[in-house]
mmCIF file of all heavy atoms in Angstrom:
data_model
loop_
_atom_site.group_PDB
_atom_site.id
_atom_site.type_symbol
_atom_site.label_atom_id
_atom_site.label_comp_id
_atom_site.label_asym_id
_atom_site.label_seq_id
_atom_site.Cartn_x
_atom_site.Cartn_y
_atom_site.Cartn_z
ATOM 1 N N PRO A 101 0.405 3.255 11.538
ATOM 2 C CA PRO A 101 0.440 2.007 10.768
ATOM 3 C C PRO A 101 -0.420 0.931 11.426
ATOM 4 O O PRO A 101 -0.573 0.914 12.654
ATOM 5 C CB PRO A 101 1.923 1.631 10.776
ATOM 6 C CG PRO A 101 2.481 2.292 11.989
ATOM 7 C CD PRO A 101 1.701 3.562 12.170
ATOM 8 N N PHE A 102 -0.998 0.048 10.608
ATOM 9 C CA PHE A 102 -1.862 -0.996 11.168
ATOM 10 C C PHE A 102 -1.637 -2.357 10.499
ATOM 11 O O PHE A 102 -2.551 -3.166 10.370
ATOM 12 C CB PHE A 102 -3.341 -0.585 11.078
ATOM 13 C CG PHE A 102 -3.850 -0.303 9.682
ATOM 14 C CD1 PHE A 102 -4.557 -1.255 8.976
ATOM 15 C CD2 PHE A 102 -3.623 0.931 9.088
ATOM 16 C CE1 PHE A 102 -5.031 -0.992 7.696
ATOM 17 C CE2 PHE A 102 -4.090 1.201 7.811
ATOM 18 C CZ PHE A 102 -4.800 0.240 7.109
ATOM 19 N N GLY A 103 -0.384 -2.591 10.080
ATOM 20 C CA GLY A 103 -0.030 -3.911 9.586
ATOM 21 C C GLY A 103 -0.034 -4.082 8.081
ATOM 22 O O GLY A 103 0.160 -5.201 7.585
ATOM 23 N N VAL A 104 -0.225 -3.015 7.317
ATOM 24 C CA VAL A 104 -0.339 -3.117 5.863
ATOM 25 C C VAL A 104 0.948 -3.629 5.220
ATOM 26 O O VAL A 104 0.919 -4.517 4.360
ATOM 27 C CB VAL A 104 -0.735 -1.753 5.255
ATOM 28 C CG1 VAL A 104 -0.581 -1.765 3.734
ATOM 29 C CG2 VAL A 104 -2.159 -1.406 5.640
ATOM 30 N N ILE A 105 2.087 -3.067 5.613
ATOM 31 C CA ILE A 105 3.348 -3.448 4.969
ATOM 32 C C ILE A 105 3.623 -4.940 5.135
ATOM 33 O O ILE A 105 3.967 -5.634 4.162
ATOM 34 C CB ILE A 105 4.508 -2.594 5.515
ATOM 35 C CG1 ILE A 105 4.371 -1.150 5.014
ATOM 36 C CG2 ILE A 105 5.856 -3.169 5.074
ATOM 37 C CD1 ILE A 105 5.404 -0.203 5.561
ATOM 38 N N GLU A 106 3.438 -5.470 6.339
ATOM 39 C CA GLU A 106 3.663 -6.895 6.552
ATOM 40 C C GLU A 106 2.672 -7.737 5.755
ATOM 41 O O GLU A 106 3.022 -8.787 5.224
ATOM 42 C CB GLU A 106 3.574 -7.230 8.047
ATOM 43 C CG GLU A 106 4.742 -6.717 8.869
ATOM 44 C CD GLU A 106 6.080 -7.238 8.358
ATOM 45 O OE1 GLU A 106 6.182 -8.453 8.076
ATOM 46 O OE2 GLU A 106 7.013 -6.429 8.232
ATOM 47 N N PHE A 107 1.427 -7.265 5.661
ATOM 48 C CA PHE A 107 0.426 -8.000 4.894
ATOM 49 C C PHE A 107 0.774 -7.991 3.405
ATOM 50 O O PHE A 107 0.665 -9.020 2.728
ATOM 51 C CB PHE A 107 -0.965 -7.404 5.117
ATOM 52 C CG PHE A 107 -2.072 -8.271 4.605
ATOM 53 C CD1 PHE A 107 -2.609 -9.268 5.403
ATOM 54 C CD2 PHE A 107 -2.573 -8.107 3.329
ATOM 55 C CE1 PHE A 107 -3.628 -10.093 4.933
ATOM 56 C CE2 PHE A 107 -3.587 -8.915 2.847
ATOM 57 C CZ PHE A 107 -4.120 -9.918 3.651
ATOM 58 N N CYS A 108 1.204 -6.835 2.905
ATOM 59 C CA CYS A 108 1.557 -6.723 1.488
ATOM 60 C C CYS A 108 2.754 -7.605 1.118
ATOM 61 O O CYS A 108 2.859 -8.067 -0.023
ATOM 62 C CB CYS A 108 1.856 -5.269 1.125
ATOM 63 S SG CYS A 108 0.391 -4.210 1.014
ATOM 64 N N LYS A 109 3.645 -7.835 2.055
ATOM 65 C CA LYS A 109 4.782 -8.710 1.788
ATOM 66 C C LYS A 109 4.316 -10.121 1.446
ATOM 67 O O LYS A 109 4.927 -10.810 0.624
ATOM 68 C CB LYS A 109 5.709 -8.753 2.996
ATOM 69 C CG LYS A 109 6.503 -7.482 3.230
ATOM 70 C CD LYS A 109 7.376 -7.596 4.482
ATOM 71 C CE LYS A 109 8.173 -6.319 4.726
ATOM 72 N NZ LYS A 109 8.980 -6.408 5.977
ATOM 73 N N THR A 110 3.227 -10.551 2.059
ATOM 74 C CA THR A 110 2.689 -11.886 1.835
ATOM 75 C C THR A 110 1.693 -11.933 0.678
ATOM 76 O O THR A 110 1.695 -12.864 -0.122
ATOM 77 C CB THR A 110 1.976 -12.389 3.114
ATOM 78 O OG1 THR A 110 2.926 -12.456 4.174
ATOM 79 C CG2 THR A 110 1.351 -13.755 2.900
ATOM 80 N N CYS A 111 0.850 -10.931 0.579
ATOM 81 C CA CYS A 111 -0.319 -10.981 -0.302
ATOM 82 C C CYS A 111 0.020 -11.013 -1.799
ATOM 83 O O CYS A 111 -0.228 -12.002 -2.479
ATOM 84 C CB CYS A 111 -1.234 -9.797 0.008
ATOM 85 S SG CYS A 111 -2.713 -9.743 -1.011
ATOM 86 N N LYS A 112 0.499 -9.911 -2.329
ATOM 87 C CA LYS A 112 0.906 -9.752 -3.728
ATOM 88 C C LYS A 112 -0.250 -9.861 -4.725
ATOM 89 O O LYS A 112 -0.023 -9.971 -5.932
ATOM 90 C CB LYS A 112 2.005 -10.746 -4.108
ATOM 91 C CG LYS A 112 3.255 -10.626 -3.254
ATOM 92 C CD LYS A 112 4.360 -11.560 -3.727
ATOM 93 C CE LYS A 112 5.589 -11.439 -2.835
ATOM 94 N NZ LYS A 112 6.691 -12.315 -3.291
ATOM 95 N N LYS A 113 -1.495 -9.828 -4.270
ATOM 96 C CA LYS A 113 -2.619 -9.944 -5.196
ATOM 97 C C LYS A 113 -2.649 -8.812 -6.225
ATOM 98 O O LYS A 113 -2.969 -9.024 -7.395
ATOM 99 C CB LYS A 113 -3.937 -9.964 -4.416
ATOM 100 C CG LYS A 113 -4.318 -11.313 -3.841
ATOM 101 C CD LYS A 113 -5.635 -11.217 -3.081
ATOM 102 C CE LYS A 113 -6.063 -12.594 -2.592
ATOM 103 N NZ LYS A 113 -6.735 -13.358 -3.643
ATOM 104 N N CYS A 114 -2.335 -7.588 -5.786
ATOM 105 C CA CYS A 114 -2.376 -6.465 -6.723
ATOM 106 C C CYS A 114 -1.366 -6.661 -7.846
ATOM 107 O O CYS A 114 -1.642 -6.356 -9.018
ATOM 108 C CB CYS A 114 -2.143 -5.146 -5.993
ATOM 109 S SG CYS A 114 -0.579 -5.019 -5.104
ATOM 110 N N ALA A 115 -0.189 -7.200 -7.522
ATOM 111 C CA ALA A 115 0.832 -7.456 -8.543
ATOM 112 C C ALA A 115 0.399 -8.575 -9.480
ATOM 113 O O ALA A 115 0.584 -8.488 -10.696
ATOM 114 C CB ALA A 115 2.163 -7.803 -7.876
ATOM 115 N N GLU A 116 -0.201 -9.610 -8.936
ATOM 116 C CA GLU A 116 -0.616 -10.759 -9.741
ATOM 117 C C GLU A 116 -1.755 -10.411 -10.693
ATOM 118 O O GLU A 116 -1.851 -10.965 -11.791
ATOM 119 C CB GLU A 116 -1.041 -11.904 -8.820
ATOM 120 C CG GLU A 116 0.116 -12.497 -8.012
ATOM 121 C CD GLU A 116 -0.359 -13.340 -6.846
ATOM 122 O OE1 GLU A 116 -1.598 -13.477 -6.669
ATOM 123 O OE2 GLU A 116 0.506 -13.859 -6.112
ATOM 124 N N HIS A 117 -2.625 -9.496 -10.288
ATOM 125 C CA HIS A 117 -3.800 -9.156 -11.098
ATOM 126 C C HIS A 117 -3.617 -7.868 -11.889
ATOM 127 O O HIS A 117 -4.584 -7.408 -12.514
ATOM 128 C CB HIS A 117 -5.024 -9.035 -10.201
ATOM 129 C CG HIS A 117 -5.514 -10.345 -9.671
ATOM 130 N ND1 HIS A 117 -6.482 -11.098 -10.299
ATOM 131 C CD2 HIS A 117 -5.150 -11.059 -8.566
ATOM 132 C CE1 HIS A 117 -6.716 -12.195 -9.603
ATOM 133 N NE2 HIS A 117 -5.920 -12.196 -8.548
ATOM 134 N N CYS A 118 -2.433 -7.287 -11.881
ATOM 135 C CA CYS A 118 -2.183 -6.056 -12.641
ATOM 136 C C CYS A 118 -2.021 -6.411 -14.115
ATOM 137 O O CYS A 118 -1.050 -7.074 -14.490
ATOM 138 C CB CYS A 118 -0.934 -5.355 -12.124
ATOM 139 S SG CYS A 118 -0.497 -3.867 -13.066
ATOM 140 N N PRO A 119 -2.937 -5.998 -14.991
ATOM 141 C CA PRO A 119 -2.847 -6.385 -16.403
ATOM 142 C C PRO A 119 -1.652 -5.780 -17.123
ATOM 143 O O PRO A 119 -1.216 -6.310 -18.155
ATOM 144 C CB PRO A 119 -4.162 -5.880 -16.994
ATOM 145 C CG PRO A 119 -4.625 -4.825 -16.064
ATOM 146 C CD PRO A 119 -4.138 -5.200 -14.707
ATOM 147 N N GLY A 120 -1.093 -4.696 -16.592
ATOM 148 C CA GLY A 120 0.085 -4.089 -17.202
ATOM 149 C C GLY A 120 1.386 -4.529 -16.569
ATOM 150 O O GLY A 120 2.458 -4.115 -16.997
ATOM 151 N N GLN A 121 1.279 -5.400 -15.557
ATOM 152 C CA GLN A 121 2.443 -5.842 -14.779
ATOM 153 C C GLN A 121 3.293 -4.652 -14.342
ATOM 154 O O GLN A 121 4.518 -4.621 -14.490
ATOM 155 C CB GLN A 121 3.277 -6.862 -15.566
ATOM 156 C CG GLN A 121 2.631 -8.238 -15.625
ATOM 157 C CD GLN A 121 2.427 -8.839 -14.221
ATOM 158 O OE1 GLN A 121 3.383 -9.227 -13.559
ATOM 159 N NE2 GLN A 121 1.175 -8.891 -13.762
ATOM 160 N N ALA A 122 2.598 -3.670 -13.780
ATOM 161 C CA ALA A 122 3.240 -2.425 -13.345
ATOM 162 C C ALA A 122 3.591 -2.428 -11.869
ATOM 163 O O ALA A 122 4.239 -1.500 -11.396
ATOM 164 C CB ALA A 122 2.316 -1.245 -13.652
ATOM 165 N N ILE A 123 3.160 -3.454 -11.135
ATOM 166 C CA ILE A 123 3.357 -3.501 -9.686
ATOM 167 C C ILE A 123 4.405 -4.550 -9.348
ATOM 168 O O ILE A 123 4.380 -5.664 -9.868
ATOM 169 C CB ILE A 123 2.026 -3.813 -8.961
ATOM 170 C CG1 ILE A 123 0.998 -2.713 -9.274
ATOM 171 C CG2 ILE A 123 2.238 -3.927 -7.466
ATOM 172 C CD1 ILE A 123 -0.382 -2.989 -8.724
ATOM 173 N N SER A 124 5.315 -4.205 -8.465
ATOM 174 C CA SER A 124 6.438 -5.066 -8.122
ATOM 175 C C SER A 124 5.991 -6.323 -7.381
ATOM 176 O O SER A 124 5.156 -6.272 -6.477
ATOM 177 C CB SER A 124 7.433 -4.287 -7.253
ATOM 178 O OG SER A 124 8.398 -5.151 -6.706
ATOM 179 N N HIS A 125 6.582 -7.467 -7.752
ATOM 180 C CA HIS A 125 6.395 -8.723 -7.023
ATOM 181 C C HIS A 125 7.475 -8.892 -5.955
ATOM 182 O O HIS A 125 7.393 -9.821 -5.151
ATOM 183 C CB HIS A 125 6.470 -9.918 -7.984
ATOM 184 C CG HIS A 125 5.314 -10.014 -8.925
ATOM 185 N ND1 HIS A 125 4.300 -10.934 -8.770
ATOM 186 C CD2 HIS A 125 5.002 -9.306 -10.041
ATOM 187 C CE1 HIS A 125 3.425 -10.798 -9.751
ATOM 188 N NE2 HIS A 125 3.829 -9.813 -10.538
ATOM 189 N N GLY A 126 8.485 -8.018 -5.979
ATOM 190 C CA GLY A 126 9.652 -8.204 -5.128
ATOM 191 C C GLY A 126 9.604 -7.398 -3.849
ATOM 192 O O GLY A 126 8.543 -7.014 -3.350
ATOM 193 N N ASP A 127 10.788 -7.138 -3.316
ATOM 194 C CA ASP A 127 10.920 -6.412 -2.057
ATOM 195 C C ASP A 127 10.858 -4.907 -2.286
ATOM 196 O O ASP A 127 10.996 -4.421 -3.423
ATOM 197 C CB ASP A 127 12.249 -6.767 -1.380
ATOM 198 C CG ASP A 127 12.335 -8.239 -1.014
ATOM 199 O OD1 ASP A 127 11.270 -8.844 -0.765
ATOM 200 O OD2 ASP A 127 13.460 -8.776 -0.998
ATOM 201 N N MET A 128 10.695 -4.168 -1.209
ATOM 202 C CA MET A 128 10.751 -2.715 -1.290
ATOM 203 C C MET A 128 12.154 -2.274 -1.703
ATOM 204 O O MET A 128 13.128 -2.984 -1.467
ATOM 205 C CB MET A 128 10.377 -2.099 0.056
ATOM 206 C CG MET A 128 8.919 -2.283 0.423
ATOM 207 S SD MET A 128 8.439 -1.361 1.924
ATOM 208 C CE MET A 128 9.262 -2.329 3.174
ATOM 209 N N SER A 129 12.231 -1.097 -2.310
ATOM 210 C CA SER A 129 13.521 -0.591 -2.771
ATOM 211 C C SER A 129 13.589 0.908 -2.534
ATOM 212 O O SER A 129 12.621 1.533 -2.102
ATOM 213 C CB SER A 129 13.711 -0.893 -4.260
ATOM 214 O OG SER A 129 12.725 -0.223 -5.039
ATOM 215 N N LEU A 130 14.738 1.486 -2.843
ATOM 216 C CA LEU A 130 14.938 2.927 -2.666
ATOM 217 C C LEU A 130 14.770 3.707 -3.965
ATOM 218 O O LEU A 130 14.789 4.939 -3.950
ATOM 219 C CB LEU A 130 16.337 3.198 -2.105
ATOM 220 C CG LEU A 130 16.569 2.774 -0.655
ATOM 221 C CD1 LEU A 130 18.053 2.897 -0.308
ATOM 222 C CD2 LEU A 130 15.737 3.637 0.295
ATOM 223 N N GLU A 131 14.615 3.002 -5.067
ATOM 224 C CA GLU A 131 14.564 3.682 -6.354
ATOM 225 C C GLU A 131 13.489 3.081 -7.242
ATOM 226 O O GLU A 131 13.336 1.860 -7.316
ATOM 227 C CB GLU A 131 15.918 3.591 -7.054
ATOM 228 C CG GLU A 131 16.010 4.415 -8.323
ATOM 229 C CD GLU A 131 17.421 4.442 -8.897
ATOM 230 O OE1 GLU A 131 18.337 3.910 -8.250
ATOM 231 O OE2 GLU A 131 17.602 5.004 -9.998
ATOM 232 N N GLY A 132 12.735 3.954 -7.912
ATOM 233 C CA GLY A 132 11.695 3.502 -8.822
ATOM 234 C C GLY A 132 12.233 3.213 -10.207
ATOM 235 O O GLY A 132 13.403 3.479 -10.513
ATOM 236 N N PRO A 133 11.375 2.676 -11.093
ATOM 237 C CA PRO A 133 11.836 2.204 -12.401
ATOM 238 C C PRO A 133 12.070 3.285 -13.449
ATOM 239 O O PRO A 133 12.721 3.024 -14.456
ATOM 240 C CB PRO A 133 10.711 1.266 -12.843
ATOM 241 C CG PRO A 133 9.496 1.789 -12.144
ATOM 242 C CD PRO A 133 9.981 2.307 -10.830
ATOM 243 N N ASN A 134 11.544 4.512 -13.246
ATOM 244 C CA ASN A 134 11.712 5.545 -14.274
ATOM 245 C C ASN A 134 11.496 6.928 -13.661
ATOM 246 O O ASN A 134 11.296 7.052 -12.447
ATOM 247 C CB ASN A 134 10.758 5.305 -15.454
ATOM 248 C CG ASN A 134 9.320 5.092 -14.993
ATOM 249 O OD1 ASN A 134 8.727 5.966 -14.373
ATOM 250 N ND2 ASN A 134 8.770 3.916 -15.292
ATOM 251 N N ILE A 135 11.514 7.963 -14.486
ATOM 252 C CA ILE A 135 11.469 9.336 -13.980
ATOM 253 C C ILE A 135 10.125 9.707 -13.360
ATOM 254 O O ILE A 135 10.009 10.757 -12.723
ATOM 255 C CB ILE A 135 11.820 10.362 -15.071
ATOM 256 C CG1 ILE A 135 10.814 10.314 -16.222
ATOM 257 C CG2 ILE A 135 13.239 10.149 -15.569
ATOM 258 C CD1 ILE A 135 10.989 11.444 -17.221
ATOM 259 N N SER A 136 9.113 8.866 -13.536
ATOM 260 C CA SER A 136 7.824 9.137 -12.906
ATOM 261 C C SER A 136 7.773 8.666 -11.456
ATOM 262 O O SER A 136 6.730 8.773 -10.808
ATOM 263 C CB SER A 136 6.685 8.487 -13.708
ATOM 264 O OG SER A 136 6.502 9.158 -14.938
ATOM 265 N N SER A 137 8.884 8.134 -10.953
ATOM 266 C CA SER A 137 8.975 7.695 -9.562
ATOM 267 C C SER A 137 9.613 8.788 -8.708
ATOM 268 O O SER A 137 10.611 9.383 -9.102
ATOM 269 C CB SER A 137 9.825 6.427 -9.452
ATOM 270 O OG SER A 137 9.324 5.397 -10.275
#
């Protein structure tokens, strides 16, 4: 690891620019949103 997880906690650019709003703005979790997770 080289700091990605901590950076992603702050950044959120991918979530903000996702046109389908498919990327989480929140915290990490143990379960995905549907059977494709």
